mmCIF file of all heavy atoms in Angstrom:
data_model
loop_
_atom_site.group_PDB
_atom_site.id
_atom_site.type_symbol
_atom_site.label_atom_id
_atom_site.label_comp_id
_atom_site.label_asym_id
_atom_site.label_seq_id
_atom_site.Cartn_x
_atom_site.Cartn_y
_atom_site.Cartn_z
ATOM 1 N N ALA A 22 -6.065 -4.046 43.881
ATOM 2 C CA ALA A 22 -5.906 -5.495 43.700
ATOM 3 C C ALA A 22 -4.778 -5.978 44.593
ATOM 4 O O ALA A 22 -3.886 -5.205 44.955
ATOM 5 C CB ALA A 22 -5.590 -5.831 42.240
ATOM 6 N N GLY A 23 -4.828 -7.249 44.947
ATOM 7 C CA GLY A 23 -3.778 -7.828 45.778
ATOM 8 C C GLY A 23 -3.548 -9.285 45.427
ATOM 9 O O GLY A 23 -4.430 -9.951 44.874
ATOM 10 N N VAL A 24 -2.350 -9.762 45.749
ATOM 11 C CA VAL A 24 -2.008 -11.157 45.518
ATOM 12 C C VAL A 24 -1.259 -11.678 46.741
ATOM 13 O O VAL A 24 -0.372 -10.999 47.274
ATOM 14 C CB VAL A 24 -1.170 -11.325 44.224
ATOM 15 C CG1 VAL A 24 0.122 -10.519 44.278
ATOM 16 C CG2 VAL A 24 -0.884 -12.797 43.952
ATOM 17 N N HIS A 25 -1.643 -12.875 47.187
ATOM 18 C CA HIS A 25 -0.929 -13.524 48.281
ATOM 19 C C HIS A 25 0.283 -14.235 47.691
ATOM 20 O O HIS A 25 0.162 -14.989 46.723
ATOM 21 C CB HIS A 25 -1.844 -14.520 48.986
ATOM 22 C CG HIS A 25 -1.240 -15.107 50.220
ATOM 23 N ND1 HIS A 25 -0.350 -16.164 50.183
ATOM 24 C CD2 HIS A 25 -1.387 -14.767 51.530
ATOM 25 C CE1 HIS A 25 0.010 -16.456 51.412
ATOM 26 N NE2 HIS A 25 -0.595 -15.633 52.250
ATOM 27 N N TRP A 26 1.422 -13.997 48.304
ATOM 28 C CA TRP A 26 2.667 -14.431 47.686
ATOM 29 C C TRP A 26 2.760 -15.949 47.547
ATOM 30 O O TRP A 26 3.121 -16.448 46.492
ATOM 31 C CB TRP A 26 3.853 -13.901 48.482
ATOM 32 C CG TRP A 26 5.117 -13.899 47.686
ATOM 33 C CD1 TRP A 26 6.194 -14.726 47.842
ATOM 34 C CD2 TRP A 26 5.410 -13.051 46.569
ATOM 35 N NE1 TRP A 26 7.145 -14.439 46.892
ATOM 36 C CE2 TRP A 26 6.689 -13.422 46.109
ATOM 37 C CE3 TRP A 26 4.714 -12.036 45.928
ATOM 38 C CZ2 TRP A 26 7.296 -12.780 45.024
ATOM 39 C CZ3 TRP A 26 5.322 -11.405 44.851
ATOM 40 C CH2 TRP A 26 6.587 -11.784 44.411
ATOM 41 N N ARG A 27 2.438 -16.702 48.619
ATOM 42 C CA ARG A 27 2.592 -18.162 48.557
ATOM 43 C C ARG A 27 1.381 -18.822 47.905
ATOM 44 O O ARG A 27 1.518 -19.696 47.059
ATOM 45 C CB ARG A 27 2.784 -18.727 49.958
ATOM 46 C CG ARG A 27 2.889 -20.258 50.008
ATOM 47 C CD ARG A 27 3.163 -20.759 51.429
ATOM 48 N NE ARG A 27 2.120 -20.385 52.362
ATOM 49 C CZ ARG A 27 0.998 -21.065 52.533
ATOM 50 N NH1 ARG A 27 0.749 -22.147 51.807
ATOM 51 N NH2 ARG A 27 0.107 -20.684 53.425
ATOM 52 N N LEU A 28 0.189 -18.372 48.251
ATOM 53 C CA LEU A 28 -1.025 -19.020 47.762
ATOM 54 C C LEU A 28 -1.357 -18.616 46.323
ATOM 55 O O LEU A 28 -2.138 -19.294 45.653
ATOM 56 C CB LEU A 28 -2.206 -18.674 48.660
ATOM 57 C CG LEU A 28 -2.095 -19.081 50.128
ATOM 58 C CD1 LEU A 28 -3.267 -18.534 50.918
ATOM 59 C CD2 LEU A 28 -2.008 -20.596 50.260
ATOM 60 N N ASN A 29 -0.789 -17.479 45.893
ATOM 61 C CA ASN A 29 -1.134 -16.903 44.589
ATOM 62 C C ASN A 29 -2.638 -16.634 44.482
ATOM 63 O O ASN A 29 -3.211 -16.666 43.392
ATOM 64 C CB ASN A 29 -0.673 -17.792 43.440
ATOM 65 C CG ASN A 29 -0.538 -17.027 42.127
ATOM 66 O OD1 ASN A 29 -0.367 -15.809 42.128
ATOM 67 N ND2 ASN A 29 -0.646 -17.730 41.016
ATOM 68 N N LYS A 30 -3.259 -16.363 45.607
ATOM 69 C CA LYS A 30 -4.680 -15.998 45.629
ATOM 70 C C LYS A 30 -4.779 -14.513 45.340
ATOM 71 O O LYS A 30 -3.965 -13.729 45.824
ATOM 72 C CB LYS A 30 -5.273 -16.324 46.997
ATOM 73 C CG LYS A 30 -6.753 -16.072 47.122
ATOM 74 C CD LYS A 30 -7.252 -16.529 48.476
ATOM 75 C CE LYS A 30 -8.730 -16.221 48.671
ATOM 76 N NZ LYS A 30 -9.569 -16.973 47.730
ATOM 77 N N LYS A 31 -5.796 -14.139 44.565
ATOM 78 C CA LYS A 31 -5.918 -12.752 44.126
ATOM 79 C C LYS A 31 -7.269 -12.182 44.521
ATOM 80 O O LYS A 31 -8.257 -12.912 44.627
ATOM 81 C CB LYS A 31 -5.725 -12.683 42.615
ATOM 82 C CG LYS A 31 -4.362 -13.211 42.196
ATOM 83 C CD LYS A 31 -4.311 -13.576 40.739
ATOM 84 C CE LYS A 31 -2.983 -14.266 40.426
ATOM 85 N NZ LYS A 31 -2.899 -14.670 39.007
ATOM 86 N N TYR A 32 -7.288 -10.875 44.692
ATOM 87 C CA TYR A 32 -8.514 -10.190 45.097
ATOM 88 C C TYR A 32 -8.533 -8.824 44.433
ATOM 89 O O TYR A 32 -7.497 -8.169 44.324
ATOM 90 C CB TYR A 32 -8.545 -10.052 46.619
ATOM 91 C CG TYR A 32 -9.829 -9.484 47.163
ATOM 92 C CD1 TYR A 32 -10.985 -10.247 47.198
ATOM 93 C CD2 TYR A 32 -9.881 -8.181 47.653
ATOM 94 C CE1 TYR A 32 -12.160 -9.732 47.700
ATOM 95 C CE2 TYR A 32 -11.044 -7.663 48.153
ATOM 96 C CZ TYR A 32 -12.187 -8.439 48.184
ATOM 97 O OH TYR A 32 -13.348 -7.939 48.680
ATOM 98 N N TYR A 33 -9.733 -8.437 43.973
ATOM 99 C CA TYR A 33 -9.872 -7.192 43.225
ATOM 100 C C TYR A 33 -10.976 -6.319 43.811
ATOM 101 O O TYR A 33 -11.989 -6.825 44.312
ATOM 102 C CB TYR A 33 -10.217 -7.484 41.761
ATOM 103 C CG TYR A 33 -9.175 -8.272 41.017
ATOM 104 C CD1 TYR A 33 -9.224 -9.661 40.980
ATOM 105 C CD2 TYR A 33 -8.124 -7.622 40.368
ATOM 106 C CE1 TYR A 33 -8.252 -10.385 40.305
ATOM 107 C CE2 TYR A 33 -7.158 -8.343 39.683
ATOM 108 C CZ TYR A 33 -7.234 -9.726 39.656
ATOM 109 O OH TYR A 33 -6.272 -10.432 38.987
ATOM 110 N N ALA A 34 -10.786 -5.028 43.690
ATOM 111 C CA ALA A 34 -11.870 -4.103 43.979
ATOM 112 C C ALA A 34 -12.936 -4.257 42.895
ATOM 113 O O ALA A 34 -12.632 -4.546 41.737
ATOM 114 C CB ALA A 34 -11.348 -2.675 44.009
ATOM 115 N N ASP A 35 -14.174 -4.030 43.271
ATOM 116 C CA ASP A 35 -15.273 -4.181 42.313
ATOM 117 C C ASP A 35 -15.095 -3.267 41.101
ATOM 118 O O ASP A 35 -15.478 -3.613 39.984
ATOM 119 C CB ASP A 35 -16.605 -3.870 42.994
ATOM 120 C CG ASP A 35 -17.029 -4.970 43.954
ATOM 121 O OD1 ASP A 35 -16.493 -6.095 43.847
ATOM 122 O OD2 ASP A 35 -17.895 -4.708 44.809
ATOM 123 N N SER A 36 -14.499 -2.109 41.334
ATOM 124 C CA SER A 36 -14.382 -1.112 40.265
ATOM 125 C C SER A 36 -13.441 -1.556 39.141
ATOM 126 O O SER A 36 -13.498 -1.004 38.037
ATOM 127 C CB SER A 36 -13.906 0.222 40.837
ATOM 128 O OG SER A 36 -12.655 0.062 41.482
ATOM 129 N N VAL A 37 -12.577 -2.536 39.406
ATOM 130 C CA VAL A 37 -11.614 -2.963 38.389
ATOM 131 C C VAL A 37 -11.775 -4.427 38.009
ATOM 132 O O VAL A 37 -11.101 -4.903 37.088
ATOM 133 C CB VAL A 37 -10.162 -2.705 38.841
ATOM 134 C CG1 VAL A 37 -9.971 -1.248 39.241
ATOM 135 C CG2 VAL A 37 -9.751 -3.638 39.981
ATOM 136 N N LYS A 38 -12.650 -5.129 38.690
ATOM 137 C CA LYS A 38 -12.830 -6.559 38.430
ATOM 138 C C LYS A 38 -13.230 -6.777 36.982
ATOM 139 O O LYS A 38 -14.118 -6.106 36.460
ATOM 140 C CB LYS A 38 -13.892 -7.114 39.385
ATOM 141 C CG LYS A 38 -13.830 -8.604 39.600
ATOM 142 C CD LYS A 38 -14.824 -9.021 40.683
ATOM 143 C CE LYS A 38 -14.441 -8.461 42.035
ATOM 144 N NZ LYS A 38 -15.369 -8.900 43.104
ATOM 145 N N GLY A 39 -12.547 -7.712 36.333
ATOM 146 C CA GLY A 39 -12.822 -7.989 34.932
ATOM 147 C C GLY A 39 -12.018 -7.142 33.962
ATOM 148 O O GLY A 39 -11.957 -7.450 32.767
ATOM 149 N N ARG A 40 -11.392 -6.086 34.456
ATOM 150 C CA ARG A 40 -10.568 -5.226 33.589
ATOM 151 C C ARG A 40 -9.089 -5.287 33.963
ATOM 152 O O ARG A 40 -8.234 -5.209 33.088
ATOM 153 C CB ARG A 40 -11.036 -3.773 33.678
ATOM 154 C CG ARG A 40 -12.448 -3.534 33.223
ATOM 155 C CD ARG A 40 -12.746 -2.039 33.118
ATOM 156 N NE ARG A 40 -12.606 -1.349 34.391
ATOM 157 C CZ ARG A 40 -11.769 -0.338 34.609
ATOM 158 N NH1 ARG A 40 -10.987 0.103 33.640
ATOM 159 N NH2 ARG A 40 -11.712 0.241 35.799
ATOM 160 N N PHE A 41 -8.803 -5.418 35.245
ATOM 161 C CA PHE A 41 -7.425 -5.442 35.734
ATOM 162 C C PHE A 41 -7.052 -6.871 36.141
ATOM 163 O O PHE A 41 -7.892 -7.622 36.641
ATOM 164 C CB PHE A 41 -7.252 -4.531 36.948
ATOM 165 C CG PHE A 41 -7.317 -3.054 36.652
ATOM 166 C CD1 PHE A 41 -7.763 -2.568 35.434
ATOM 167 C CD2 PHE A 41 -6.909 -2.140 37.616
ATOM 168 C CE1 PHE A 41 -7.824 -1.206 35.172
ATOM 169 C CE2 PHE A 41 -6.957 -0.775 37.374
ATOM 170 C CZ PHE A 41 -7.424 -0.312 36.161
ATOM 171 N N THR A 42 -5.788 -7.206 35.944
ATOM 172 C CA THR A 42 -5.271 -8.514 36.336
ATOM 173 C C THR A 42 -3.967 -8.325 37.087
ATOM 174 O O THR A 42 -3.069 -7.634 36.600
ATOM 175 C CB THR A 42 -5.020 -9.402 35.110
ATOM 176 O OG1 THR A 42 -6.222 -9.506 34.336
ATOM 177 C CG2 THR A 42 -4.588 -10.804 35.547
ATOM 178 N N ILE A 43 -3.890 -8.946 38.253
ATOM 179 C CA ILE A 43 -2.660 -8.886 39.033
ATOM 180 C C ILE A 43 -1.962 -10.230 38.932
ATOM 181 O O ILE A 43 -2.605 -11.280 38.837
ATOM 182 C CB ILE A 43 -2.950 -8.516 40.510
ATOM 183 C CG1 ILE A 43 -1.652 -8.222 41.261
ATOM 184 C CG2 ILE A 43 -3.737 -9.624 41.206
ATOM 185 C CD1 ILE A 43 -1.878 -7.633 42.663
ATOM 186 N N GLY A 44 -0.646 -10.193 38.932
ATOM 187 C CA GLY A 44 0.131 -11.423 38.904
ATOM 188 C C GLY A 44 1.478 -11.195 39.568
ATOM 189 O O GLY A 44 1.862 -10.061 39.853
ATOM 190 N N ARG A 45 2.164 -12.304 39.814
ATOM 191 C CA ARG A 45 3.489 -12.179 40.414
ATOM 192 C C ARG A 45 4.430 -13.163 39.746
ATOM 193 O O ARG A 45 4.024 -14.213 39.266
ATOM 194 C CB ARG A 45 3.423 -12.438 41.909
ATOM 195 C CG ARG A 45 2.891 -13.834 42.267
ATOM 196 C CD ARG A 45 3.631 -14.398 43.395
ATOM 197 N NE ARG A 45 3.192 -15.660 43.894
ATOM 198 C CZ ARG A 45 3.284 -16.833 43.280
ATOM 199 N NH1 ARG A 45 3.718 -16.890 42.035
ATOM 200 N NH2 ARG A 45 2.937 -17.953 43.873
ATOM 201 N N VAL A 46 5.694 -12.780 39.708
ATOM 202 C CA VAL A 46 6.749 -13.663 39.237
ATOM 203 C C VAL A 46 7.659 -13.867 40.435
ATOM 204 O O VAL A 46 8.515 -13.018 40.742
ATOM 205 C CB VAL A 46 7.512 -13.067 38.042
ATOM 206 C CG1 VAL A 46 8.588 -14.035 37.567
ATOM 207 C CG2 VAL A 46 6.551 -12.727 36.914
ATOM 208 N N ALA A 47 7.457 -14.972 41.134
ATOM 209 C CA ALA A 47 8.141 -15.188 42.402
ATOM 210 C C ALA A 47 9.654 -15.187 42.233
ATOM 211 O O ALA A 47 10.377 -14.626 43.062
ATOM 212 C CB ALA A 47 7.661 -16.492 43.033
ATOM 213 N N ALA A 48 10.131 -15.777 41.164
ATOM 214 C CA ALA A 48 11.579 -15.881 40.969
ATOM 215 C C ALA A 48 12.228 -14.509 40.791
ATOM 216 O O ALA A 48 13.427 -14.354 41.032
ATOM 217 C CB ALA A 48 11.878 -16.757 39.766
ATOM 218 N N GLU A 49 11.429 -13.541 40.358
ATOM 219 C CA GLU A 49 11.962 -12.204 40.132
ATOM 220 C C GLU A 49 11.498 -11.222 41.195
ATOM 221 O O GLU A 49 11.768 -10.027 41.087
ATOM 222 C CB GLU A 49 11.546 -11.712 38.741
ATOM 223 C CG GLU A 49 12.089 -12.571 37.599
ATOM 224 C CD GLU A 49 11.586 -12.109 36.249
ATOM 225 O OE1 GLU A 49 10.878 -11.084 36.184
ATOM 226 O OE2 GLU A 49 11.907 -12.775 35.246
ATOM 227 N N ASN A 50 10.751 -11.703 42.186
ATOM 228 C CA ASN A 50 10.229 -10.813 43.238
ATOM 229 C C ASN A 50 9.468 -9.635 42.651
ATOM 230 O O ASN A 50 9.594 -8.505 43.131
ATOM 231 C CB ASN A 50 11.376 -10.283 44.109
ATOM 232 C CG ASN A 50 11.634 -11.153 45.310
ATOM 233 O OD1 ASN A 50 10.890 -12.104 45.575
ATOM 234 N ND2 ASN A 50 12.670 -10.847 46.037
ATOM 235 N N THR A 51 8.680 -9.914 41.630
ATOM 236 C CA THR A 51 7.982 -8.852 40.915
ATOM 237 C C THR A 51 6.481 -9.104 40.915
ATOM 238 O O THR A 51 6.031 -10.242 40.780
ATOM 239 C CB THR A 51 8.477 -8.775 39.461
ATOM 240 O OG1 THR A 51 9.872 -8.463 39.470
ATOM 241 C CG2 THR A 51 7.744 -7.700 38.679
ATOM 242 N N VAL A 52 5.732 -8.042 41.081
ATOM 243 C CA VAL A 52 4.278 -8.087 40.968
ATOM 244 C C VAL A 52 3.880 -7.130 39.855
ATOM 245 O O VAL A 52 4.425 -6.029 39.755
ATOM 246 C CB VAL A 52 3.602 -7.680 42.288
ATOM 247 C CG1 VAL A 52 2.088 -7.600 42.131
ATOM 248 C CG2 VAL A 52 3.962 -8.667 43.388
ATOM 249 N N TRP A 53 2.966 -7.564 39.008
ATOM 250 C CA TRP A 53 2.539 -6.694 37.922
ATOM 251 C C TRP A 53 1.027 -6.485 37.982
ATOM 252 O O TRP A 53 0.309 -7.245 38.623
ATOM 253 C CB TRP A 53 2.963 -7.253 36.563
ATOM 254 C CG TRP A 53 2.678 -8.710 36.360
ATOM 255 C CD1 TRP A 53 3.519 -9.770 36.595
ATOM 256 C CD2 TRP A 53 1.462 -9.299 35.879
ATOM 257 N NE1 TRP A 53 2.902 -10.952 36.297
ATOM 258 C CE2 TRP A 53 1.636 -10.704 35.849
ATOM 259 C CE3 TRP A 53 0.236 -8.774 35.473
ATOM 260 C CZ2 TRP A 53 0.639 -11.573 35.421
ATOM 261 C CZ3 TRP A 53 -0.766 -9.641 35.047
ATOM 262 C CH2 TRP A 53 -0.544 -11.024 35.036
ATOM 263 N N LEU A 54 0.593 -5.432 37.344
ATOM 264 C CA LEU A 54 -0.832 -5.131 37.273
ATOM 265 C C LEU A 54 -1.134 -4.755 35.831
ATOM 266 O O LEU A 54 -0.704 -3.705 35.363
ATOM 267 C CB LEU A 54 -1.209 -3.988 38.212
ATOM 268 C CG LEU A 54 -2.695 -3.613 38.228
ATOM 269 C CD1 LEU A 54 -3.511 -4.710 38.912
ATOM 270 C CD2 LEU A 54 -2.916 -2.280 38.929
ATOM 271 N N GLN A 55 -1.825 -5.623 35.133
ATOM 272 C CA GLN A 55 -2.251 -5.331 33.770
ATOM 273 C C GLN A 55 -3.610 -4.667 33.813
ATOM 274 O O GLN A 55 -4.571 -5.220 34.362
ATOM 275 C CB GLN A 55 -2.314 -6.600 32.926
ATOM 276 C CG GLN A 55 -2.723 -6.334 31.476
ATOM 277 C CD GLN A 55 -2.637 -7.566 30.616
ATOM 278 O OE1 GLN A 55 -1.683 -8.339 30.698
ATOM 279 N NE2 GLN A 55 -3.640 -7.771 29.766
ATOM 280 N N MET A 56 -3.678 -3.493 33.222
ATOM 281 C CA MET A 56 -4.906 -2.702 33.258
ATOM 282 C C MET A 56 -5.462 -2.599 31.842
ATOM 283 O O MET A 56 -4.921 -1.869 31.006
ATOM 284 C CB MET A 56 -4.613 -1.315 33.834
ATOM 285 C CG MET A 56 -3.923 -1.378 35.199
ATOM 286 S SD MET A 56 -3.644 0.251 35.935
ATOM 287 C CE MET A 56 -2.451 0.938 34.797
ATOM 288 N N ASP A 57 -6.514 -3.360 31.582
ATOM 289 C CA ASP A 57 -7.166 -3.357 30.275
ATOM 290 C C ASP A 57 -8.385 -2.447 30.302
ATOM 291 O O ASP A 57 -8.911 -2.113 31.366
ATOM 292 C CB ASP A 57 -7.604 -4.783 29.909
ATOM 293 C CG ASP A 57 -6.446 -5.735 29.742
ATOM 294 O OD1 ASP A 57 -5.388 -5.310 29.230
ATOM 295 O OD2 ASP A 57 -6.589 -6.917 30.110
ATOM 296 N N ALA A 58 -8.836 -2.091 29.123
ATOM 297 C CA ALA A 58 -10.059 -1.295 28.985
ATOM 298 C C ALA A 58 -10.035 -0.088 29.923
ATOM 299 O O ALA A 58 -11.000 0.170 30.654
ATOM 300 C CB ALA A 58 -11.287 -2.167 29.250
ATOM 301 N N LEU A 59 -8.939 0.636 29.891
ATOM 302 C CA LEU A 59 -8.784 1.776 30.801
ATOM 303 C C LEU A 59 -9.869 2.815 30.569
ATOM 304 O O LEU A 59 -10.335 3.027 29.437
ATOM 305 C CB LEU A 59 -7.405 2.398 30.616
ATOM 306 C CG LEU A 59 -6.258 1.636 31.289
ATOM 307 C CD1 LEU A 59 -4.915 2.100 30.734
ATOM 308 C CD2 LEU A 59 -6.297 1.811 32.794
#
């Protein structure tokens, strides 16, 4: 998965789409990946 820093646009591999969520907290310079239904 990936996230564009300014646009906040996200893209996922087909194998994780619908189960994984990527996000970023710009103020903290942090990117997270929530992995559900592992």
Side-chain angles (χ1 to χ4, degrees):
V24 59
H25 187 278
W26 200 252
R27 177 177 60 84
L28 300 174
N29 201 23
K30 184 176 177 65
K31 300 161 187 179
Y32 186 74
Y33 298 91
D35 287 342
S36 59
V37 306
K38 202 174 294 182
R40 298 190 299 121
F41 289 12
T42 305
I43 190 171
R45 59 140 176 69
V46 181
E49 298 176 4
N50 268 354
T51 298
V52 175
W53 47 267
L54 181 71
Q55 181 174 317
M56 306 183 293
D57 296 324
L59 282 164

